Amino acid sequence: MGAYAVKRFLTILPVLVGISLLVFSFIHLIPGDPAVAMLGERATPERVAAVRAQLGLDEPLYRQYFIYLGKVAQGDLGISIIRGDPVLADLVHRFPATVELALSAILLALAVGIPVGIVSAVWRNSLFDGVSRLVALTGVSMPIFWLGLMLAWFFGVELGWLPTGFRLDTDVVIAPVTNFYLLDSLLTWNPPALRSTLRHLILPAAALGTIPLAIIARMTRASLLEVLSQDYIRTAEAKGLPQRAVVLRHAMRNALLPILTVIGLQVGHLLAGAILTETIFSWPGIGLWVYEAIQARDYPIVQGATLFIGTVFVLVNLGTDLFYAVVDPRIAYD
C-alpha cells in the first residue's frame, strides 16, 4: 500500500506542471492589458510601458513562465495587480468559504442521492423509481445559474424565507478562528451566528449540490443493480438473509467503487465550479474572487487561484484512488 501511494503521488507531479503551463498560456490569451486596466484608459503610453516593465510583462512569454514557475515552487503566487495584496494570503483567507459551501453541497448530495439510488435499485421499475429517475435527469440537465436565480427569486425575494447573499447577517458578529463559519460558531458557541450561517448556506448549497445529487443517485442505482444481479447475492437471498442485510452489508460494499469515483470527481468539480453559484449569491469565496479578477484582468489572481484549484482537484482524485485501494486491496497490487 505504501509503494502504491508513493507511485500515485509521483504521477501527479507532471500533471501539476502541465496545469501550470496551461493556466499560464490561457491567461495570456485573455484580451486586454493589465497595465491599462491598472492605470486606466487615459494613461500615457510611457506610463503603461513603465508599469509593464515593472510587472515583467515586457519579457518574452517563455521567460515569464519560468520566472512564474520558480516563484510558485517557493510558495509565491505573486501580488495582485489591482489590490496590491499577496495572492496566497487572499487565497488562504477566501478558501474556507468555498470549502464550506462545497462540503455543504456534497453532503446534501450524499444524504439524498445515495438513499434515493438504493431505494430505486431495490424497487426497480416502481413508481418511486420512475419519479426519481425523471427528477435525476432533470437535475443533471438543469443549468446551475438558472436554478440559483430561481431559488434566490422564489425563496429569497417572493417568500422572504432565506437570505440571498453573503455568509452572515450584517447584525451578527462571529469571532474568526478557522474562517469556517459553521465550525467557528460551534467552537465559540455562538447560536445566533450558527443559525445565520445555516440560513445563508441553504440556497447556494442547494443550487450547487443539485447536479452532484442527481449524478450520485443515478450512479448508485446503476452500480447497485449490477451487483444485485450477481450469483452470490441470489445465494445470500436463498439462505433467507433479510433484504436489508443483503443490500447494505453485501451488495453496497461491492457497488461502492464507481460511486466513490463519482464522489471524488464531484468534490473537485464543486471546488472548481463554484464561480457561478458564488457570483449569484455574492458568496465571498474563491469563485467570486476569480470572477472579479477576470473582469479586472488581474493575471496573478487568476493564475494563482486556477493553479491552486487544479492542485486541489488532483489531490482529491489522488485521495479517491488511495481510498479505492483501501476498499479493494487488489488495486494496490496491480
Side-chain angles (χ1 to χ4, degrees), residues 8 10-22 307 310 314:
R8 289 290 297 114
L10 290 177
T11 59
I12 70 172
L13 295 179
V15 175
L16 294 178
V17 174
I19 290 174
S20 71
L21 181 59
L22 286 174
L307 180 61
V314 171

Side-chain angles (χ1 to χ4, degrees), residues 4-326:
Y4 175 74
V6 172
K7 180 181 173 184
R8 289 290 297 114
F9 181 76
L10 290 177
T11 59
I12 70 172
L13 295 179
V15 175
L16 294 178
V17 174
I19 290 174
S20 71
L21 181 59
L22 286 174
V23 169
F24 182 85
S25 303
F26 284 128
I27 199 66
H28 283 78
L29 293 176
I30 297 177
D33 190 331
V36 174
M38 188 176 173
L39 297 173
E41 295 291 339
R42 296 184 178 179
T44 63
E46 293 77 13
R47 180 64 179 144
V48 171
V51 171
R52 285 181 59 81
Q54 181 185 350
L55 298 175
L57 297 175
D58 57 344
E59 299 279 356
L61 277 180
Y62 76 89
R63 183 171 170 76
Q64 288 185 47
Y65 172 70
F66 284 114
I67 293 174
Y68 167 70
L69 198 60
K71 289 182 177 178
V72 168
Q74 301 173 43
D76 180 5
L77 297 180
I79 303 295
S80 165
I81 293 175
I82 305 300
R83 300 169 186 267
D85 299 326
V87 172
L88 184 60
D90 275 358
L91 193 58
V92 170
H93 178 71
R94 288 176 175 268
F95 190 54
T98 298
V99 172
E100 191 168 67
L101 176 59
L103 286 181
S104 301
I106 198 66
L107 287 176
L108 174 68
L110 291 174
V112 178
I114 289 182
V116 167
I118 291 174
V119 175
S120 290
V122 174
W123 293 349
R124 185 182 182 185
N125 296 328
S126 66
L127 177 62
F128 180 89
D129 183 31
V131 172
S132 65
R133 289 167 64 189
L134 179 62
V135 172
L137 181 61
T138 306
V140 170
S141 311
M142 195 176 298
I144 286 184
F145 72 91
W146 182 85
L147 177 62
L149 289 173
M150 290 300 102
L151 289 175
W153 167 74
F154 187 70
F155 292 102
V157 178
E158 290 296 321
L159 299 179
W161 288 355
L162 295 167
T164 59
F166 307 106
R167 298 178 69 189
L168 211 60
D169 292 321
T170 54
D171 58 342
V172 175
V173 178
I174 185 169
V177 180
T178 64
N179 273 334
F180 292 91
Y181 282 6
L182 280 177
L183 186 59
D184 289 353
S185 58
L186 289 173
L187 290 175
T188 59
W189 189 237
N190 187 342
L194 181 61
R195 283 194 297 273
S196 179
T197 303
L198 285 172
R199 292 182 74 246
H200 282 75
L201 262 174
I202 291 175
L203 290 183
L208 190 60
T210 300
I211 292 179
L213 190 157
I215 293 175
I216 289 171
R218 286 160 61 99
M219 178 54 70
T220 303
R221 177 184 182 276
S223 181
L224 190 56
L225 277 177
E226 184 177 345
V227 175
L228 288 176
S229 64
Q230 300 293 319
D231 290 339
Y232 74 92
I233 294 295
R234 296 195 190 95
T235 303
E237 290 173 338
K239 287 182 176 179
L241 285 177
Q243 186 183 43
R244 183 188 182 90
V246 172
V247 173
L248 298 182
R249 193 185 306 165
H250 298 281
M252 270 308 289
R253 182 180 176 85
N254 290 327
L256 204 56
L257 289 182
I259 300 172
L260 285 176
T261 304
V262 169
I263 293 172
L265 291 174
Q266 290 306 311
V267 170
H269 282 304
L270 289 179
L271 289 172
I275 291 180
L276 287 176
T277 307
E278 291 189 1
T279 303
I280 291 170
F281 292 98
S282 300
W283 190 264
I286 292 178
L288 181 60
W289 185 50
V290 171
Y291 172 76
E292 294 170 347
I294 291 173
Q295 286 188 315
R297 299 178 182 82
D298 199 329
Y299 287 178
I301 288 182
V302 180
Q303 285 179 167
T306 309
L307 180 61
F308 180 78
I309 290 171
T311 304
V312 171
F313 189 90
V314 171
L315 292 177
V316 168
N317 280 281
L318 173 64
T320 305
D321 287 348
L322 296 179
F323 195 60
Y324 246 51
V326 173

